[in-house]
Amino acid sequence: MPRGNGLGPPWWHGRFRGCGYKITLGREAILNALIKADQHLSAEDIYQKVHTTYPAIGLTTVYRTLEILVNMGLVFKFDFGDGRARYELVEGSKKSHHHHHLVCTNCKRVIDYTDFVDDEIGLLKKTEKGLSKKYSFEITNHVIQFYGLCGQCKNTK
Amino acid sequence: MPRGNGLGPPWWHGRFRGCGYKITLGREAILNALIKADQHLSAEDIYQKVHTTYPAIGLTTVYRTLEILVNMGLVFKFDFGDGRARYELVEGSKKSHHHHHLVCTNCKRVIDYTDFVDDEIGLLKKTEKGLSKKYSFEITNHVIQFYGLCGQCKNTK
DNA sequence: TTTGTAAATGGAAACCATTTTCAATAAGGA
DNA sequence: TCCTTATTGAAAATGGTTTCCATTTACAAA
């Protein structure tokens, strides 16, 4: 769990150092943007947010940092089918529990839902265990997404 | 269920006509490629396959046809994180049952698994019903994917 | 069978998110 | 403070996918 208090270095500095990465203003700003947003953002979204407080940032750095964060397991990368990836903290700072996504294939709206997630997680855990053994896979992550038409798009058709 | 026998028009002609689409050699060839392959293919894969028997085909047509097929619900479109989409028939012609995917984040290998899928489907059905009501979504499709390291990549690291 | 017309097509060009290149800069241990 | 190496931003390259547009085709109507 993130400790956003002002005392001591942010919770993730240790993990960063441990992996041999340096702490830089850019990385700090990108992570903060993700923590504050606490929901899925595109690379461009993050670039825009960070750019207001740290104009020197480059889009390239955003992509590079996100790749690191994904590889470290701090950030999830999602594809909702609109041609750009979305990123979100694995553990949101405040409200966010683990959640899954409901994607409208028409307007691309995405709803985070936490309902039923406990049941889903339970089943996934069991499935993961079985799959790991059978296929000797080391599973680190999963995605569940439902696709369909949201209330608005249903009526407009 | 597809009826691949030589008698009468292929099973999907009716659905095509019903949607106001014309039957063309290109579309026929693309659908046949998907039926024969019975596993996920990229647009380029399909283009290559079709090109051998029908050299006039254009990559553009492959993309256009795939989009139609996805919208009609005959074909699934997947993203495995390697920058190109994969397509597969919703109902494979022979062996294929409904399956989910196990994706190696290192070498991008994809394993189709059918184990546990019955349990998964059961839960998903229930979840779908609940979500549809709560968010007034009309759910048409779902994706479950596990990510991790395959046996080979685990050892190489 | 012929004809009319909108749908479908292929090739080239455009698009655009992401990646790579490279020279300049900065982090952090010595 | 200095040195080494990772990091950076800008610009260019990449590559899957989409758009444009002139030509061709499917197929319903005559």
Side-chain angles (χ1 to χ4, degrees):
Chain A
M1 321 118 194
R3 291 174 308 128
N5 58 41
L7 318 168
W11 56 277
W12 49 271
H13 277 200
R15 290 200 54 184
F16 247 68
R17 290 246 167 63
C19 292
Y21 294 121
K22 294 179 178 176
I23 312 291
T24 67
L25 286 179
R27 289 172 176 176
E28 200 119 34
I30 289 166
L31 217 16
N32 280 331
L34 281 165
I35 289 170
K36 249 199 304 190
D38 205 20
Q39 59 159 317
H40 47 266
L41 297 174
S42 67
E44 181 70 29
D45 290 338
I46 294 170
Y47 172 71
Q48 296 294 349
K49 279 182 190 298
V50 173
H51 193 265
T52 62
T53 62
Y54 180 46
I57 195 82
L59 185 53
T60 308
T61 297
V62 174
Y63 277 107
R64 278 190 290 229
T65 302
L66 287 171
E67 192 188 352
I68 289 175
L69 293 171
V70 169
N71 285 337
M72 288 178 63
L74 290 179
V75 164
F76 284 135
K77 180 179 181 178
F78 291 102
D79 166 65
F80 295 142
D82 67 346
R84 74 189 57 188
R86 304 305 160 99
Y87 302 85
E88 71 186 51
L89 269 199
V90 169
E91 304 190 61
S93 56
K94 355 176 169 156
K95 52 181 157 61
S96 93
H97 286 292
H98 188 82
H99 61 265
H100 293 148
H101 299 286
L102 208 50
V103 183
C104 178
T105 51
N106 188 243
C107 71
K108 311 300 181 188
R109 181 197 317 269
V110 176
I111 294 179
D112 298 348
Y113 70 89
T114 53
D115 320 85
F116 317 102
V117 167
D118 288 343
D119 284 346
E120 289 178 6
I121 302 288
L123 179 61
L124 290 180
K125 279 268 180 294
K126 224 187 323 177
T127 308
E128 261 179 46
K129 197 167 288 182
L131 290 174
S132 293
K133 182 173 286 180
K134 175 158 181 180
Y135 298 102
S136 66
F137 235 82
E138 180 182 323
I139 294 175
T140 56
N141 197 359
H142 67 252
V143 167
I144 292 190
Q145 282 172 197
F146 288 97
Y147 294 91
L149 293 174
C150 70
Q152 292 195 12
C153 290
K154 228 172 20 181
N155 298 326
T156 318
K157 290 240 154 169
Chain B
M1 319 112 201
R3 291 172 309 129
N5 58 40
L7 318 168
W11 55 279
W12 50 270
H13 277 199
R15 290 198 56 183
F16 247 68
R17 289 247 167 62
C19 292
Y21 295 120
K22 295 178 177 175
I23 313 290
T24 67
L25 286 179
R27 288 172 177 176
E28 201 118 35
I30 290 167
L31 218 15
N32 281 332
L34 281 164
I35 290 170
K36 250 198 304 190
D38 205 21
Q39 59 159 319
H40 47 266
L41 297 174
S42 67
E44 181 70 28
D45 289 337
I46 294 170
Y47 172 72
Q48 297 294 350
K49 279 182 190 297
V50 173
H51 194 265
T52 61
T53 62
Y54 181 45
I57 196 79
L59 185 51
T60 309
T61 297
V62 174
Y63 277 107
R64 277 188 292 229
T65 302
L66 287 172
E67 191 188 353
I68 289 174
L69 293 171
V70 169
N71 286 336
M72 287 178 63
L74 290 180
V75 164
F76 285 135
K77 179 179 183 179
F78 291 101
D79 166 66
F80 295 143
D82 66 346
R84 72 188 60 188
R86 304 304 161 98
Y87 302 85
E88 72 185 51
L89 268 199
V90 169
E91 305 189 61
S93 57
K94 352 172 173 164
K95 51 179 159 62
S96 94
H97 286 292
H98 188 82
H99 60 266
H100 293 147
H101 299 287
L102 208 52
V103 183
C104 178
T105 51
N106 188 243
C107 69
K108 311 300 181 189
R109 182 198 317 270
V110 177
I111 294 179
D112 298 347
Y113 71 89
T114 53
D115 321 85
F116 315 104
V117 166
D118 289 343
D119 284 347
E120 288 179 7
I121 301 287
L123 179 61
L124 290 179
K125 279 266 179 295
K126 225 187 323 178
T127 308
E128 263 179 44
K129 197 167 286 182
L131 291 174
S132 293
K133 182 173 284 180
K134 175 158 182 183
Y135 299 101
S136 65
F137 235 81
E138 181 182 323
I139 294 174
T140 56
N141 196 359
H142 67 253
V143 168
I144 293 189
Q145 281 172 197
F146 287 97
Y147 294 91
L149 293 174
C150 71
Q152 291 194 14
C153 291
K154 230 173 17 183
N155 298 327
T156 317
K157 291 241 153 170

